[in-house]
Amino acid sequence: MTILVGHRGARGEVPENTLPSFMHVQQLGIRHVELDLHLSRDGQLMVIHDPDLRRTTGRHGRVDHWHSSELTQLDARRNGPPCAQPCPIPTLEQLVLACDFDHWQWEVKSASRKRSQQLVQAIKQLHDSHKLHGKVTITSSSRSVLRAAQQLAPEIPRGFVAERAWLEPIKVAKRYDCALLVLNHKLCSPARLRHAKQQGLHVSVWTVNHAKDMRRLASMGVDSLITDFPGLAIATLQQG
């Protein structure tokens, strides 16, 4: 069975990376989610995709220039699907306390060496304090992030986010002892999928939003499928 993973919660159905989005996924019965992390000015892990606030809140400035108490007061409904209630930016801790998923993909975007280390250390602290062992994978397309995770939190599984074939995604994933290959669905050929599985990698494909692609990739045998539309994915895969 292909596992369904809610992308940024349910990005296409409820405003992304907000508590209502993840609660929607939970209500659908999906037990796996993906989200994005940045640090606030006071070192809190904030659940937001972009390094700045403009796209989802309409406010100016970088996430790391704002205090977490300020960020959690901002409404992140801008440019998302309609939602009647305000959708604040959550801290990761708020989200973990509110939702109990079987598995989380925590994606960290590109960062400097120092910033990568700060992010990984914050993740490790939260991961350990909330006893999330076996429930989290740190994912990134950044070598500096994967290297920091490998060195500072080796007990937390890692995943390489691969968008371009010329980077030899399977080799990169193995170089950083990744358990997950988070593969752009356009790169997921039967041969690459077979090779990745032979290397012991769980293959999670993103972002799969059309029913025909969902059916094709599930029949190909991908391990998990990341989608903005988990409701559509459930209905599509139930139909076979």
Side-chain angles (χ1 to χ4, degrees):
M1 288 290 293
T2 299
I3 296 167
L4 296 180
V5 182
H7 185 229
R8 307 182 200 173
R11 184 189 181 203
E13 299 171 5
V14 184
E16 66 179 69
N17 280 330
T18 64
L19 182 55
S21 197
F22 289 96
M23 294 187 75
H24 173 72
V25 172
Q26 195 165 245
Q27 289 163 3
L28 289 173
I30 288 178
R31 304 296 303 153
H32 297 243
V33 290
E34 184 270 358
L35 56 81
D36 309 279
L37 295 173
H38 290 279
L39 284 176
S40 63
R41 190 180 73 212
D42 56 318
Q44 290 295 310
L45 289 161
M46 306 303 301
V47 183
I48 182 170
H49 178 271
D50 300 356
D52 63 80
L53 299 167
R54 181 186 295 270
R55 181 175 62 85
T56 56
T57 72
R59 305 297 292 270
H60 296 282
R62 293 176 55 86
V63 174
D64 59 9
H65 291 176
W66 288 60
H67 194 279
S68 59
S69 62
E70 300 170 314
L71 292 168
T72 55
Q73 299 304 308
L74 299 182
D75 190 347
R77 285 182 289 178
R78 189 170 183 262
N79 288 318
C83 187
Q85 66 192 82
C87 296
I89 301 170
T91 67
L92 181 59
E93 186 164 39
Q94 287 174 333
L95 187 55
V96 165
L97 289 171
C99 297
D100 180 25
F101 291 106
D102 292 341
H103 189 265
W104 309 74
Q105 290 186 28
W106 291 351
E107 183 174 355
V108 179
K109 302 299 181 184
S110 296
S112 67
R113 180 180 176 183
K114 180 180 179 181
R115 199 63 167 174
S116 296
Q117 292 173 343
Q118 291 171 336
L119 278 155
V120 169
Q121 287 167 341
I123 287 171
K124 176 177 170 57
Q125 183 177 2
L126 188 144
H127 170 274
D128 292 350
S129 65
H130 288 279
K131 298 179 173 59
L132 295 172
H133 303 279
K135 290 190 169 187
V136 172
T137 301
I138 300 172
T139 69
S140 186
S141 59
S142 166
R143 276 40 164 215
S144 64
V145 171
L146 293 174
R147 189 178 301 112
Q150 192 177 31
Q151 294 171 350
L152 301 175
E155 72 281 10
I156 305 176
R158 292 168 296 285
F160 175 53
V161 180
E163 187 170 8
R164 297 175 179 85
W166 62 266
L167 290 174
E168 300 188 74
I170 295 170
K171 285 187 178 180
V172 175
K174 295 301 292 182
R175 185 178 306 145
Y176 294 99
D177 296 323
C178 292
L180 226 67
L181 177 61
V182 190
L183 190 65
N184 184 310
H185 76 92
K186 295 177 182 177
L187 302 181
C188 190
S189 66
R192 180 168 284 126
L193 176 62
R194 183 168 57 252
H195 183 201
K197 289 192 170 191
Q198 288 170 348
Q199 295 296 312
L201 292 164
H202 173 114
V203 179
S204 193
V205 293
W206 58 276
T207 305
V208 189
N209 290 335
H210 299 289
K212 64 177 183 179
D213 292 326
M214 293 172 183
R215 287 190 289 266
R216 175 178 60 83
L217 290 160
S219 65
M220 194 185 295
V222 299
D223 296 299
S224 59
L225 187 154
I226 302 172
T227 180
D228 291 338
F229 298 96
L232 172 64
I234 291 170
T236 298
L237 297 188
Q238 282 178 346
Q239 291 171 1

